[in-house]
Amino acid sequence: MKEFFPIIAAAITATLALSACSTSKTEQSTATMVQTQNPFLQASVLQYQAPDFSLIKDDHFAPALEQGIKEHYQEILTIANNPDAATFDNTIVAMEKSGELLNRISKVFYNLTGSNSNPTLRKVQGEMAPKMAAHSDNINLNPALFSRVESIYNTRADLNLSAEANRLVEVYYQRFVRAGAKLSDSQKQQIRTLNEEQSTLTNEFAQRLMRLTKEIAIVVDDKSQLVGLSDSAIRAAAADASANGHEGKYQLNITNTTRQPVLTQLQDRQLRQQVWQASANRGLEGENETASFVARLAQLRAERAELLGFDSWADYRLAPQMAKTPEAVYQMFGSMVPAVVANTNKEAVDIQAMITKTGGDFELAPWDWAYYAELVRKDKYDLDANAIRPYFEFDRVLEDGVFFTLKALYGVSLTPRPDLPVYHPDVKAYEMFDEDGSSIAIFYADYFAREGKRGGAWMSSFVSQSELLNSKPVVVNVMNIKKAPEGEPTFVSYDEVTTMFHEMGHGTHGMFSKVTYPTLSGTSVSRDFVEFPSTFEEDWAAHPEVLANYAKHYETGEPIPAELLNKLLKSRSFNQGFDTLEYMSAALLDLEWHSLKADAPLQDVASFEAAALKKHGVDLPAVPPRYKSTYFAHAFPGGYSASYYAYMWSEILAADAFAYVQTQGGLNREIGMKFRKTIREVGNTVAPMDAYKAFRGQEPTTDALLERRGLN
């Protein structure tokens, strides 16, 4: 997943409205203190302005954010009130260069609140959320500023602009209009009110999800209940329990999806049910309930869409995307539902048969699927997950898998940079070099789960690439892999392997960027295109040449036996009905919530979910959505509202592109460099479909997607 901060690119990226008023002596004193003691007030002296985490303290964030907002607002006022006629340079370029301090502090702050949070940072985040929203509105709803942007937009054909500059003008104009720049004053005030409420709700939603992760962890008293887990996993569970005051017990942590990895191994059916229910029912009630937030966020987004002239939030969100309309997405999923459900039902029959075969006398339930699916996989493909496990040691997957593929395709290498300070001991810093030895970027690898990190996996940037600002990218990948006890190797599942490749796909999208303007840099593309380069990267994890390079025994270094490798590759299509259906169900839920009209009443979450799933024929009791509404971080507190479909939309592009690459020789530098130059380097300087056709030579078809998922 690509992370999107609540800041609007490099220029219009931030928030709080501060009027020009006199500064008191107290404020002057505070400002002096901030300037002399706060490391954010000057650009970092580290390479590519990488944050100097050795200097950054929690109490630096609030005053630096306040100062950054104030400086940015004054810069915006200067641009808006410039008495000279509007030009591309004195308006658009000036906005691209504005907000340097706010951009610098925001990128660090929002990265840390997601990956290394604590009560102090969460308090600052809550206080700043409405201020940041207000600042954003003060920019987007400033009539004088929009007048200048509009005049440039209307005359752009006569300005002799470069193709990239012309696209930047169009992006700015669309952003202002979609934010409400053409509304009446009273409508603008309504937009401000809705935006402030949304920022407050999404911030609290995200913080509650983080608290829930700790709250719903399952503590097990008796080790005998953990039969099926490896000795290493049991030791890790004991360590987690001890760290949380449960000495002599075992703690099973809950990740941010409905399906829990531990369910593939636990033999104890009652414990499996307990784990699954803790996951699936979170947020419905209690001190950290999120159900009321879901209902209100859907409602206020619908109200905002109506003010902006759209039938629903989904219509508003999809208009500038590749999909264009909710109907196009519904049609995409609708065309696939029959085949996916049929496949899933066949899988369910096989799993029920395995339950019976192994002495079970019960009907397949959601907490049974993963456990018995592994038994079916082993029986059908003679594939034992425990036999594969020693061949997927974390460091080897990263260095001999992910990094090896980058070298083979794109000619780049990553060198450890232990001299660069990091924000947590588990984080490692690297420098990326091109084939000619030139330095490209700084990369931070933050792969292990810990308290204070939200669930999931994502990529983000501490510094974005821009030739205008003479800045090179500083990028981070974040995951939640369970780290082995000290001194033991960490093994990863094959799903985690593909996620490592996926997030590096996002990472290289940011690190390979070669554009002039920060607003168009790297991953600043439409939601249903941003997942394309990352999903494309996933498939290299299963490429025989790549697999053979990293799938080696952690002790002997022997490559995975050919027979075992073949079994693994053949089993890739196994359980794809389940995997596809749980994803589609979540995507359809997201779209249904955000297709509500502005006059719709607040919804009961459980009833709404049941009706939505039934409507689309995806209400299989044993296969719940990947995310239920109350912990659907992408759709509600995150930036993917009405956009979770983007993973499937992008997968169509990725599958088609990967199939094409295999016709061009597969893993080779020539086709890799073509992909790098036409897709990864161009950011949003080119319309998504134009970029795709520049690489592929034609628009994609769904044939390769069905093949990829074994559904044809």
Side-chain angles (χ1 to χ4, degrees):
M1 166 188 179
K2 161 70 175 73
E3 177 78 347
F4 290 86
F5 294 127
I7 50 177
I8 312 176
I12 304 186
T13 308
T15 35
L16 165 79
L18 278 149
S19 58
C21 57
S22 61
T23 305
S24 68
K25 291 182 179 180
T26 301
E27 289 172 323
Q28 291 174 344
S29 175
T30 300
T32 300
M33 180 274 290
V34 168
Q35 291 173 358
T36 56
Q37 298 181 6
N38 197 312
F40 287 113
L41 271 293
Q42 295 83 33
S44 169
V45 299
L46 298 179
Q47 185 175 350
Y48 306 152
Q49 297 186 30
D52 191 343
F53 293 108
S54 68
L55 302 177
I56 296 170
K57 309 297 181 186
D58 288 348
D59 59 5
H60 291 147
F61 288 105
L65 285 166
E66 296 279 5
Q67 182 75 8
I69 287 168
K70 182 176 181 179
E71 289 185 11
H72 189 207
Y73 185 62
Q74 292 301 325
E75 290 171 333
I76 291 298
L77 287 180
T78 299
I79 297 168
N81 299 327
N82 187 341
D84 296 337
T87 67
F88 177 75
D89 286 335
N90 72 17
T91 302
I92 304 297
V93 173
M95 282 193 284
E96 287 290 276
K97 292 180 176 179
S98 70
E100 178 185 352
L101 171 60
L102 186 56
N103 192 51
R104 180 164 65 239
I105 174 65
S106 295
K107 292 209 168 199
V108 176
F109 179 67
Y110 288 108
N111 266 300
L112 294 192
T113 56
S115 62
N116 205 41
S117 188
N118 59 51
T120 299
L121 294 185
R122 289 193 285 272
K123 182 175 183 292
V124 174
Q125 189 177 10
E127 292 170 347
M128 294 306 302
K131 296 179 179 182
M132 294 288 271
H135 178 55
S136 183
D137 285 338
N138 276 354
I139 296 171
N140 292 323
L141 302 180
N142 184 309
L145 185 62
F146 176 62
S147 178
R148 298 178 70 84
V149 172
E150 187 174 37
S151 68
I152 297 166
Y153 175 80
N154 289 337
T155 59
R156 66 192 185 284
D158 303 321
L159 299 180
N160 197 30
L161 298 174
S162 68
E164 183 178 345
N166 188 71
R167 183 157 179 83
L168 182 65
V169 171
E170 292 173 347
V171 167
Y172 261 90
Y173 177 76
Q174 182 186 70
R175 176 187 295 163
F176 273 87
V177 171
R178 287 176 58 77
K182 288 192 169 186
L183 299 179
S184 67
D185 288 344
S186 63
Q187 290 173 321
K188 287 180 180 179
Q189 185 53 53
Q190 291 178 67
I191 288 286
R192 287 178 181 272
T193 300
L194 292 171
N195 287 348
E196 180 178 355
E197 182 181 358
Q198 174 169 280
S199 69
T200 301
L201 288 177
T202 53
N203 176 69
E204 179 60 19
F205 197 135
Q207 295 201 20
R208 289 190 179 196
L209 285 185
M210 196 174 292
R211 293 196 292 269
L212 277 169
T213 299
K214 184 175 182 180
E215 178 183 300
I216 64 177
I218 302 299
V219 177
V220 178
D221 296 329
D222 189 347
K223 183 179 177 180
S224 66
Q225 293 179 270
L226 302 179
V227 173
L229 295 188
S230 67
D231 291 341
S232 177
I234 292 173
R235 286 193 294 271
D240 285 342
S242 179
N244 287 282
H246 306 295
E247 197 67 41
K249 299 183 179 181
Y250 308 88
Q251 180 170 306
L252 303 179
N253 297 318
I254 304 298
T255 60
N256 195 42
T257 58
T258 304
R259 182 180 11 168
Q260 299 298 308
V262 73
L263 295 180
T264 64
Q265 303 162 19
L266 285 173
Q267 291 184 20
D268 189 316
R269 188 171 191 247
Q270 186 175 356
L271 182 56
R272 290 202 308 269
Q273 181 177 356
Q274 187 180 358
V275 168
W276 185 87
Q277 288 178 333
S279 174
N281 297 330
R282 78 186 94 166
L284 287 173
E285 56 187 12
E287 182 181 357
N288 288 311
E289 67 85 15
T290 55
S292 62
F293 289 54
V294 169
R296 178 55 185 151
L297 281 168
Q299 186 179 64
L300 71 84
R301 286 168 177 167
E303 292 171 1
R304 186 169 183 266
E306 184 179 58
L307 279 170
L308 294 167
F310 291 86
D311 289 338
S312 69
W313 184 254
D315 287 287
Y316 168 79
R317 289 280 285 169
L318 270 62
Q321 307 297 314
M322 294 182 76
K324 301 301 181 186
T325 67
E327 289 71 29
V329 179
Y330 283 129
Q331 182 177 357
M332 174 186 74
F333 285 130
S335 67
M336 297 176 65
V337 163
V340 172
V341 169
N343 245 39
T344 308
N345 284 329
K346 289 178 183 177
E347 293 168 1
V349 169
D350 289 342
I351 291 173
Q352 187 67 59
M354 179 58 70
I355 291 172
T356 303
K357 179 181 178 181
T358 54
D361 184 22
F362 51 83
E363 186 175 346
L364 171 64
W367 47 87
D368 299 316
W369 191 291
Y371 178 75
Y372 287 97
E374 283 306 307
L375 297 183
V376 173
R377 186 199 303 268
K378 183 178 180 180
D379 184 63
K380 188 172 183 178
Y381 297 99
D382 191 24
L383 184 65
D384 184 353
N386 289 326
I388 295 173
R389 190 167 170 270
Y391 295 95
F392 292 121
E393 190 272 326
F394 168 79
D395 287 323
R396 185 157 273 156
V397 171
L398 180 64
E399 295 169 11
D400 296 342
V402 177
F403 292 176
F404 167 80
T405 305
L406 297 184
K407 179 76 171 179
L409 286 172
Y410 313 118
V412 300
S413 57
L414 287 103
T415 301
R417 287 289 306 273
D419 58 304
L420 289 176
V422 292
Y423 55 87
H424 189 276
D426 283 345
V427 179
K428 290 186 178 181
Y430 297 83
E431 184 172 0
M432 177 179 279
F433 292 93
D434 216 336
E435 194 167 25
D436 62 3
S438 60
S439 178
I440 298 175
I442 299 296
F443 172 71
Y444 292 93
D446 182 2
Y447 287 110
F448 300 118
R450 60 176 171 269
E451 188 174 342
K453 180 188 283 189
R454 66 177 174 83
W458 63 94
M459 163 268 179
S460 194
S461 300
F462 289 112
V463 180
S464 297
Q465 181 274 332
S466 166
E467 293 175 2
L468 176 71
L469 304 181
N470 194 31
S471 61
K472 288 196 173 184
V474 180
V475 165
V476 60
N477 274 178
V478 186
M479 284 182 63
N480 274 276
I481 295 169
K482 180 69 175 178
K483 190 177 182 182
E486 189 68 30
E488 298 185 32
T490 294
F491 299 110
V492 291
S493 68
Y494 188 70
D495 282 346
E496 289 170 331
V497 171
T498 58
T499 302
M500 290 170 69
F501 276 81
H502 178 101
E503 296 306 332
M504 185 56 80
H506 283 309
T508 50
H509 199 178
M511 289 187 282
F512 289 163
S513 179
K514 284 188 177 182
V515 307
T516 302
Y517 304 106
T519 287
L520 304 178
S521 176
T523 55
S524 300
V525 297
S526 67
R527 287 287 196 273
D528 51 11
F529 190 76
V530 75
E531 297 296 337
F532 156 46
S534 54
T535 305
F536 170 85
E537 204 72 15
E538 280 184 38
D539 281 355
W540 292 110
H543 189 277
E545 186 177 345
V546 176
L547 248 175
N549 198 67
Y550 73 82
K552 297 179 180 179
H553 197 279
Y554 77 103
E555 289 180 320
T556 67
E558 290 295 314
I560 188 170
E563 183 181 4
L564 188 58
L565 177 59
N566 289 335
K567 290 177 182 178
L568 174 63
L569 293 175
K570 287 179 180 179
S571 73
R572 288 183 64 219
S573 62
F574 174 75
N575 214 38
Q576 279 298 306
F578 177 96
D579 289 342
T580 306
L581 186 61
E582 67 155 10
Y583 161 76
M584 288 173 58
S585 298
L588 288 164
L589 265 185
D590 168 38
L591 211 58
E592 285 292 337
W593 274 115
H594 293 107
S595 294
L596 289 169
K597 301 293 189 288
D599 59 357
L602 287 170
Q603 303 292 311
D604 174 77
V605 170
S607 299
F608 184 88
E609 285 186 346
L613 298 176
K614 184 176 182 179
K615 172 183 175 181
H616 293 284
V618 293
D619 53 336
L620 276 64
V623 188
R626 182 173 298 175
Y627 300 97
K628 292 192 176 186
S629 306
T630 52
Y631 48 95
F632 204 161
H634 290 76
F636 290 101
Y640 277 67
S641 59
S643 301
Y644 192 60
Y645 79 91
Y647 288 92
M648 182 69 77
W649 192 278
S650 295
E651 190 180 351
I652 293 172
L653 303 176
D656 186 73
F658 193 81
Y660 166 69
V661 165
Q662 305 320 302
T663 69
Q664 306 301 304
L667 189 73
N668 69 81
R669 188 70 49 78
E670 182 178 356
I671 194 63
M673 292 304 293
K674 183 180 181 183
F675 190 80
R676 175 177 167 178
K677 291 182 180 301
T678 57
I679 303 296
R680 298 194 191 277
E681 291 185 357
V682 300
N684 194 25
T685 63
V686 180
M689 188 54 76
D690 290 343
Y692 186 82
K693 288 191 290 187
F695 170 70
R696 177 69 173 87
Q698 64 182 51
E699 293 190 6
T701 70
T702 60
D703 297 343
L705 172 67
L706 296 174
E707 179 73 26
R708 184 180 193 264
R709 287 187 169 256
L711 300 174
N712 56 355

